[in-house]
Amino acid sequence: MNTNNISESNAAKEKNNNAPYYYEEPLHDLCKILDFSMDLICSCDEAGRFVWVNKASERILGYKPEELLGIKYSDFIFYEDGAAPTNENFDFKSGTHASIFEKKFIHKNTNIIYLQWSAVQDDVKNLCYCIGRDITEKKNIEKAFETERLQFFNIYSQAPSYMGILNGPNHVYELANELYLQLIDKRDIIGKAVKEVLPELETQGIFEILDNVYQTGESFCANEMPITFDRYSDGKLKDVYLNFIFQARRDVNNAIDGIFIFGNDVTEQVLSRKKIEQSEKMYKDLIHKLPVATYSCDSEGRIVLYNKAAAALWGREPELGKDLWYTSWNNNDNKKKHAAPLNLCSLAAALKGGDPILSKEIIIERPNGDKRNALPHPVPFHNADGEITGAVIVLSDITEIKLAQKELRKSEKKYRYLFDNNPMPMWIIDLASFKFLDVNKMVILQYGYSREEFLSMTALDIRPNDDKIHFIKSSDTSHINESNYNRGIWNHIKKDGTIVPVEIIAHNIVYEGTAARLILSNDISDRKKAEANLEKRNRELIKTNSELDRFVYSVSHDLRSPLTSILGLISFIETESREIDTLKHAELIRISINRLDEFIKNILSYSRNNRTGILPEQISLNEMMLDTVDSLQRMKEAKGIRFEIEIKEQKPFYTDKLRFTTIIKNLISNAIKYHKKDEADRFVKIFGYSDHENLHFSIEDNGIGIDPAYHKKIFEMFFRLSGKDGSGIGLYIVKDAVEILQGSIEVQSEKEIGTKFNITLKNLKPC
């Protein structure tokens, strides 16, 4: 530090504060030595103002020495909770060193730093010489250590396991959490040896285990170890089962100085398991003694237990823990064994869904080839979480019952199957009385009556009153065989009163010796409604489209007249006025009106395109292209654009002239409108050819181009690229007209390179 600078700075501060300063200029070499110190070295006057500061101030406090001279050091002290300072000046007796003390200071960057100070007072010069050491890092480490210590203590005291620390070879309790105290049912144990607190452990070998861990450093682990505690010190011992570990604790020199204890009381789990084991034994004994075939399996379907009745039914004894439930009934068929549909059988459904299914039968094939019918009754097991852990299955042998039922159904199997499972409602009526003799399931489902209700009714009961009266008046029993009853559409009434149209087909049959009629019925109400709704919607749609077209055409046509008048007024203003601003505003109005007029033209074109039919006529392609280009060259954007047109008319081309003009005019005007203004060689090229079937042509430019991301969107109605003028309907009209003319259009374009539209139109040459 330059002593002259110090003197000048001090002189300035003395002048400002109107207070006398008396300094003895330090030696230059001594200042340089002090400036190399890592500690803050300074001197302060009796008011606490810095007189001299070494360069360490910039590293420690962030201030250069010259920034501190003349300023009270107390201005940099950090006061806790905003407390006001009382007397922060250094105040020491002459010639004595102050005891080391600490203070918090505010760094220039607003951080809080800790400084450890030592100071001495010089009464002769009225100065205090101080040395401040930055101990911020040390303080932060101490705080971190204290935080970690508190966190460890919280974990230790709140851990869900019992924990303790024993100190020294005598195993004196140093720490014990609440769970440990609850385990031994004692409180005042800190500072006492284990032998004093729990003398009953001596006969259980615990002290020998503790000594071995302390002497060798080898940890000791135990699972479900029975320990006996005299919890009430009355000689009555209580057994507990513990999972625990004894682990040696080492000091900083890696010497063993104690033992950590960590464990859990698993008494309830052990006792519960023993009860379960007893229950399982009773359960196994019960299954073995049952007279019906019974077995159990785990959640994977592996058989874990079976009785003699089950082995007799299967004709074999399965391998426990290996054979699955389904192998018990198809043991000799390897194909079935490997392709067994586990998700279809009642056992799998019971294990998967948890609900026993008692109606699905199985066929058990014994090793000797005999087959038995059985009905399984699975009962799933659930754990505490509701998960299925297995099942008990009882097998009822229903072979004899099945054989009897088979014989009984053999004669009517074919009839019942076809009748009951037919997807169409079917019933049988007596020809003489119209009484229902039989109905299938679909009749019951469709009409809402039960089978018993149908059998107490006649065919006339499901006819509305008007139809019923008409039928009775025009028909009698003899007319039941007439063709008007064989096939036709009738109205039927359901149980809920709903009347539905049905289409019926009838055939004469003999049912249980009685002349009867088999009738098939098909509900056609949805078909009728659909036909009616479709016809109504078509009429409404035709009317709406017609009205909309007339409205659009009328409004658009009426709007153009006032626009033409406005354009005339603008022309008058432009002719009469000489004011630049007026002419500029008139030009802006003209541009907006022209844009609106163009939009109205597009709307009219769209309306005309949808309202008028196709009128094919022969078109001179090159002539039409030239006329269109000539009409569009009046656009101011067309100036400087080179047009190339070449259409090879190999065959005469026929199409709708109005729509064709709309297509090429929109595409060419867009090519002109969206051209680059500063391009050296601006062009629009129109090339193509016509043959007997189609016209193929393209319109290409080297304008601003279209991002490929928008190639499909540009043909949508009212879609406009961001920042571009236009109505957003032009290309939509083009695509609509192309499709009406049985053609197609596609775009090839890249941004800033150019755009090319490829169009194909069908040659509508008359046959």
Side-chain angles (χ1 to χ4, degrees):
M1 177 182 293
N2 192 311
T3 55
N4 292 329
N5 292 339
I6 297 173
S7 300
E8 292 174 2
S9 176
N10 289 341
K13 295 183 184 299
E14 179 180 357
K15 183 178 179 180
N16 293 333
N17 297 326
N18 296 321
Y21 287 87
Y22 300 95
Y23 305 113
E24 181 177 341
E25 184 176 321
L27 294 175
H28 182 69
D29 291 340
L30 179 60
C31 291
K32 291 178 66 176
I33 293 171
L34 295 178
D35 280 338
F36 281 105
S37 174
M38 297 299 290
D39 296 330
L40 179 63
I41 302 175
C42 63
S43 60
C44 298
D45 62 14
E46 51 192 3
R49 292 175 293 211
F50 288 104
V51 175
W52 182 85
V53 185
N54 70 343
K55 289 184 177 181
S57 65
E58 187 171 359
R59 181 182 61 81
I60 296 175
L61 290 175
Y63 295 93
K64 295 180 179 180
E66 54 266 32
E67 293 178 290
L68 299 175
L69 298 180
I71 300 175
K72 288 185 178 183
Y73 88 97
S74 59
D75 292 342
F76 302 94
I77 294 177
F78 175 75
Y79 300 101
E80 298 286 350
D81 300 326
T86 52
N87 181 16
E88 292 294 346
N89 292 340
F90 293 109
D91 185 16
F92 302 99
K93 294 180 179 179
S94 177
T96 62
H97 284 278
S99 58
I100 295 174
F101 60 96
E102 297 175 2
K103 285 186 179 296
K104 295 180 184 178
F105 280 72
I106 304 174
H107 193 276
K108 189 175 184 179
N109 62 11
T110 72
N111 289 339
I112 305 301
I113 62 173
Y114 293 82
L115 294 181
Q116 187 182 65
W117 290 95
S118 62
V120 64
Q121 180 77 20
D122 187 345
D123 290 336
V124 176
K125 298 179 179 180
N126 289 328
L127 293 175
C128 180
Y129 300 97
C130 312
I131 298 176
R133 174 163 295 175
D134 188 354
I135 60 171
T136 304
E137 185 174 356
K138 175 186 173 185
K139 284 291 185 181
N140 290 337
I141 292 173
E142 289 175 354
K143 283 185 177 180
F145 175 81
E146 179 62 20
T147 300
E148 290 294 328
R149 190 189 69 80
L150 290 174
Q151 289 178 351
F152 169 78
F153 183 79
N154 288 335
I155 293 173
Y156 178 85
S157 59
Q158 299 176 18
S161 303
Y162 68 78
M163 300 173 64
I165 299 177
L166 304 179
N167 188 29
N170 294 324
H171 315 308
V172 177
Y173 284 104
E174 182 176 321
L175 283 175
N177 67 354
E178 180 63 25
L179 287 181
Y180 187 92
L181 298 177
Q182 292 177 8
L183 174 69
I184 64 175
D185 200 27
K186 291 178 172 42
R187 291 287 168 181
D188 186 19
I189 65 171
I190 304 303
K192 298 179 181 179
V194 177
K195 288 186 177 181
E196 178 183 355
V197 177
L198 302 170
E200 64 269 25
L201 299 182
E202 184 171 5
T203 58
Q204 302 178 54
I206 300 300
F207 297 148
E208 289 82 356
I209 296 173
L210 291 172
D211 291 339
N212 185 66
V213 172
Y214 188 88
Q215 294 167 7
T216 65
E218 296 179 1
S219 299
F220 177 84
C221 298
N223 288 320
E224 299 182 358
M225 185 173 180
I227 302 292
T228 302
F229 290 114
D230 182 8
R231 288 189 167 182
Y232 306 104
S233 302
D234 58 357
K236 296 180 179 179
L237 302 179
K238 183 176 181 180
D239 293 332
V240 295
Y241 293 85
L242 304 177
N243 292 343
F244 64 89
I245 181 171
F246 294 158
Q247 188 175 32
R249 185 185 70 175
R250 298 179 182 273
D251 59 17
V252 293
N253 297 318
N254 203 32
I256 298 173
D257 66 349
I259 295 175
F260 287 109
I261 300 174
F262 180 89
N264 290 289
D265 185 356
V266 293
T267 304
E268 291 184 4
Q269 295 93 309
V270 173
L271 295 178
S272 297
R273 191 183 68 245
K274 289 184 175 183
K275 289 181 179 179
I276 291 173
E277 290 173 353
Q278 293 176 355
S279 298
E280 287 180 349
K281 184 178 182 305
M282 294 174 60
Y283 152 76
K284 290 179 180 179
D285 291 340
L286 176 63
I287 285 183
H288 282 299
K289 294 177 181 179
L290 285 174
V292 294
T294 308
Y295 66 101
S296 65
C297 61
D298 59 18
S299 59
E300 299 298 326
R302 293 184 291 265
I303 297 175
V304 296
L305 181 65
Y306 63 94
N307 63 4
K308 293 180 180 180
L313 180 60
W314 295 327
R316 60 183 290 269
E317 292 189 357
E319 186 176 348
L320 295 180
K322 183 178 180 181
D323 283 358
L324 300 174
W325 62 57
Y326 61 89
T327 59
S328 65
W329 64 81
N330 56 15
N331 180 61
N332 291 334
D333 192 333
N334 291 329
K335 292 183 179 179
K336 289 184 179 179
K337 180 175 182 179
H338 294 293
L342 299 182
N343 60 327
L344 299 179
C345 70
S346 58
L347 309 182
L351 287 179
K352 183 179 180 181
D355 296 319
I357 301 175
L358 309 178
S359 60
K360 194 150 190 176
E361 300 172 8
I362 61 173
I363 298 177
I364 297 173
E365 185 176 356
R366 294 172 174 172
N368 62 5
D370 290 344
K371 294 182 179 180
R372 305 294 294 178
N373 297 90
L375 190 65
H377 302 268
V379 180
F381 292 151
H382 299 81
N383 59 16
D385 298 326
E387 299 172 343
I388 296 175
T389 58
V392 172
I393 300 98
V394 177
L395 298 174
S396 300
D397 188 350
I398 58 172
T399 306
E400 304 303 327
I401 298 175
K402 292 289 292 183
L403 290 174
Q405 291 175 346
K406 186 176 181 181
E407 290 297 325
L408 182 64
R409 292 195 305 266
K410 190 174 183 180
S411 60
E412 61 177 8
K413 181 178 180 181
K414 185 176 180 179
Y415 156 74
R416 293 310 311 179
Y417 179 83
L418 293 175
F419 187 77
D420 284 335
N421 295 284
N422 196 295
M424 294 181 64
M426 298 176 64
W427 60 80
I428 300 172
I429 63 172
D430 188 313
L431 277 175
S433 63
F434 303 148
K435 186 177 179 64
F436 285 105
L437 301 177
D438 202 354
V439 294
N440 73 349
K441 296 175 182 176
M442 287 304 297
V443 171
I444 297 171
L445 181 64
Q446 181 169 307
Y447 288 85
Y449 294 100
S450 66
R451 178 181 173 81
E452 290 72 20
E453 288 175 319
F454 265 114
L455 296 182
S456 65
M457 296 162 55
T458 69
L460 295 178
D461 292 329
I462 60 172
R463 299 287 297 274
N465 288 333
D466 293 343
D467 288 355
K468 187 188 304 182
I469 294 171
H470 173 75
F471 179 79
I472 293 174
K473 287 183 177 179
S474 62
S475 303
D476 56 25
T477 308
S478 61
H479 288 86
I480 201 71
N481 292 317
E482 297 292 337
S483 61
N484 69 329
Y485 197 78
N486 290 337
R487 190 181 189 96
I489 295 177
W490 287 3
N491 288 327
H492 279 177
I493 184 168
K494 298 182 179 181
K495 186 175 182 179
D496 60 5
T498 305
I499 298 176
V500 294
V502 296
E503 185 176 28
I504 65 104
I505 301 174
H507 298 279
N508 291 334
I509 64 170
V510 177
Y511 179 80
E512 296 181 353
T514 303
R517 200 163 182 81
L518 174 65
I519 300 174
L520 287 80
S521 170
N522 182 30
D523 185 347
I524 59 171
S525 55
D526 290 341
R527 188 176 77 188
K528 287 285 188 180
K529 289 179 182 177
E531 291 173 353
N533 289 337
L534 182 59
E535 184 178 354
K536 181 180 178 182
R537 287 193 176 190
N538 284 338
R539 290 196 303 270
E540 292 174 350
L541 187 59
I542 291 171
K543 180 182 177 183
T544 301
N545 285 339
S546 176
E547 292 174 349
L548 181 61
D549 284 342
R550 288 198 300 271
F551 174 78
V552 170
Y553 181 80
S554 176
V555 170
S556 302
H557 186 272
D558 292 345
L559 280 175
R560 293 202 64 202
S561 295
L563 291 181
T564 303
S565 300
I566 294 172
L567 286 174
L569 292 173
I570 292 173
S571 298
F572 176 77
I573 292 172
E574 291 174 338
T575 303
E576 297 294 326
S577 178
R578 294 295 182 267
E579 296 181 4
I580 296 175
D581 288 344
T582 301
L583 294 174
K584 183 177 180 181
H585 293 157
E587 176 63 20
L588 293 175
I589 295 171
R590 179 183 294 277
I591 292 171
S592 296
I593 292 175
N594 285 335
R595 188 182 305 158
L596 178 58
D597 188 48
E598 185 66 25
F599 178 75
I600 294 173
K601 288 179 182 178
N602 282 331
I603 293 294
L604 284 170
S605 178
Y606 170 73
S607 176
R608 191 182 301 114
N609 191 43
N610 285 275
R611 187 161 37 84
T612 61
I614 298 176
L615 299 174
E617 60 180 293
Q618 185 175 349
I619 293 176
S620 176
L621 295 171
N622 282 287
E623 183 180 345
M624 182 166 284
M625 294 291 184
L626 288 170
D627 289 344
T628 303
V629 169
D630 184 60
S631 67
L632 293 174
Q633 282 186 328
R634 291 194 297 270
M635 297 172 63
K636 65 178 182 178
E637 296 94 339
K639 185 177 181 180
I641 296 178
R642 175 170 52 87
F643 292 90
E644 296 183 31
I645 302 173
E646 184 179 354
I647 304 293
K648 296 179 181 180
E649 299 184 57
Q650 300 173 0
K651 295 289 181 181
F653 180 69
Y654 290 79
T655 191
D656 186 285
K657 186 176 181 179
L658 179 62
R659 289 183 172 87
F660 184 75
T661 303
T662 300
I663 293 169
I664 60 175
K665 187 174 182 180
N666 270 284
L667 293 177
I668 296 172
S669 64
N670 279 352
I672 294 171
K673 189 185 301 181
Y674 300 117
H675 227 299
K676 297 178 182 176
K677 295 181 180 179
D678 302 325
E679 186 74 19
D681 180 24
R682 300 193 296 160
F683 64 79
V684 175
K685 298 178 181 179
I686 306 170
F687 294 103
Y689 67 93
S690 65
D691 55 29
H692 184 71
E693 298 292 333
N694 298 291
L695 166 65
H696 306 271
F697 72 98
S698 63
I699 299 176
E700 181 180 2
D701 64 68
N702 59 344
I704 62 175
I706 304 169
D707 192 302
Y710 302 111
H711 283 186
K712 291 184 178 180
K713 288 183 172 293
I714 59 174
F715 295 108
E716 296 178 2
M717 183 179 283
F718 301 125
F719 176 80
R720 294 187 300 174
L721 293 173
S722 178
K724 302 296 184 292
D725 294 332
S727 62
I729 195 175
L731 287 178
Y732 175 80
I733 294 173
V734 168
K735 184 173 177 62
D736 193 42
V738 167
E739 291 176 349
I740 290 175
L741 297 180
Q742 303 178 45
S744 64
I745 182 170
E746 64 175 18
V747 61
Q748 296 175 336
S749 181
E750 291 187 25
K751 200 171 182 180
E752 301 301 329
I753 294 179
T755 302
K756 181 179 181 182
F757 286 95
N758 298 313
I759 303 98
T760 300
L761 297 177
K762 186 176 181 180
N763 193 339
L764 302 177
K765 181 178 180 180
C767 299

